Amino acid sequence: PTAPTVAASTTVACVGDNVVLNINPATGGITYTWTDNTGTHTGTTYTITGIGPSGTYPISVTATDGSGCVSAATNLNITVNPPPTINVSASPTVICVGQSTTLNASGATSYTWSTNAGSVTTNTASVNPGTTDTYTVTGSTLGCISTQTVAVSVNPLPVVTANAAPATICAGQSTVLTAGGATTYTWSTTATTQTISVSPSSTAVYTVTGETTGCTA
């Protein structure tokens, strides 16, 4: 018998793809034997399930007629490409409510980020999450894809309180200002304690900034 002609669903695949091979055309009464790195298989159609590893995947097929005569082998090489190894990061990885961060991806040729603002098709994406969130990027190289995720932690702003006791004084008197709701404090007087004593000579307004986990209010 003559060497069979093979039709392949693809000759360039990604690791894990399924590749379908057919004898074209299949001749009645003839059996076909496929040989690859997994062994031998018979039939007019052979499906390679989850092809791999990456590199060149050689396949040969022979035809056997009713007299037991075997044809020359038809050889076919399938190029198997690996999925890209994607590296992702967020800079910074911890932000405060109202701040933004930049997501970065590398290791592929093209990228698609899934963000709360829609899809972004560059290797970097700026996001402004209201709460802690995880973002997914899909990278593609030579038609092969893989995904990676990166988490961004969002810390709330402290709810800072301030009061004066007493709130009304006479000239020459003092009052105590007390802040709450944060971990550290900085007053407009440059004092950095939770309570301070002031003696304004006229009606005055004092401002305190509180900070917790790097977030201020």
Side-chain angles (χ1 to χ4, degrees), residues 20-204:
V20 180
L21 305 170
N22 294 283
I23 302 302
N24 186 25
T27 303
I30 296 179
T31 60
Y32 302 92
T33 301
W34 306 85
T35 303
D36 61 11
N37 60 9
T38 66
T40 58
H41 316 269
T42 58
T44 56
T45 298
Y46 171 43
T47 299
I48 306 170
T49 302
I51 195 169
S54 60
T56 300
Y57 194 99
I59 300 167
S60 66
V61 60
T62 57
T64 304
D65 64 17
S67 299
C69 297
V70 180
S71 72
T74 297
N75 298 309
L76 179 69
N77 288 326
I78 298 175
T79 299
V80 183
N81 293 318
T85 300
I86 302 176
N87 300 305
V88 295
S89 64
S91 181
T93 56
V94 180
I95 61 174
C96 302
V97 169
Q99 293 180 336
S100 61
T101 185
T102 300
L103 310 178
N104 297 278
S106 63
T109 304
S110 62
Y111 306 89
T112 301
W113 286 97
S114 176
T115 74
N116 50 9
S119 295
V120 178
T121 56
T122 56
N123 69 310
T124 63
S126 180
V127 293
N128 182 19
T131 58
T132 295
D133 207 347
T134 299
Y135 297 92
T136 300
V137 63
T138 300
S140 175
T141 300
L142 297 174
C144 302
I145 64 172
S146 59
T147 61
Q148 189 60 270
T149 60
V150 60
V152 177
S153 298
V154 181
N155 290 325
L157 302 181
V159 179
V160 180
T161 61
N163 65 78
T168 302
I169 60 174
C170 300
Q173 293 180 336
S174 63
T175 185
V176 175
L177 311 181
T178 302
T183 304
T184 62
Y185 305 91
T186 302
W187 291 92
S188 52
T189 64
T190 72
T192 57
T193 53
Q194 186 172 5
T195 62
I196 62 173
S197 178
V198 294
S199 301
S201 59
S202 60
T203 297

